[in-house]
Amino acid sequence: MAANPKMVAGFQALSAGQNGNGVLDPKTKELIALAVAVTTRCDSCIAVHAEAARRAGVSEAELTDAMGTAVALNAGAAYSYAMRTLEAYQQFGEKAS
């Protein structure tokens, strides 16, 4: 924080501003945050939001359901990017050796 206070203040403002319009309850927000943290592989996000999820009353069953969704999404993303890789490879066609 001391090294870059403006960036930290900006991040804190972004976090405070994301509270939306109040339609989602805190449990749902934390489950979404944890699923995103898993898909982005952010250890510090996982730690912060795991604690917040506990405080919001998220059960272990709810958490594992959300994590299952994150795992499925990651597998789906890997599959779709694998297809993109194949398409990119095919665009170059066979080149003479």
Side-chain angles (χ1 to χ4, degrees):
M1 189 167 183
N4 198 340
K6 286 183 181 180
M7 185 197 65
V8 172
F11 177 74
Q12 289 171 335
L14 175 67
S15 293
Q18 67 79 34
N19 286 330
N21 56 15
V23 175
L24 296 177
D25 63 273
K27 285 173 62 171
T28 302
K29 286 183 180 184
E30 290 308 327
L31 289 169
I32 292 169
L34 283 165
V36 171
V38 166
T39 60
T40 59
R41 297 168 181 90
C42 179
D43 289 331
S44 57
C45 297
I46 290 168
V48 166
H49 290 285
E51 181 183 8
R54 276 235 183 232
R55 285 195 317 265
V58 171
S59 70
E60 191 169 317
E62 290 169 322
L63 178 64
T64 58
D65 202 18
M67 294 304 93
T69 301
V71 168
L73 179 66
N74 276 325
Y79 177 76
S80 66
Y81 274 89
M83 293 301 100
R84 285 184 178 193
T85 303
L86 180 59
E87 290 169 2
Y89 175 82
Q90 291 170 343
Q91 285 179 4
F92 293 102
E94 290 188 34
K95 294 185 177 184
S97 325

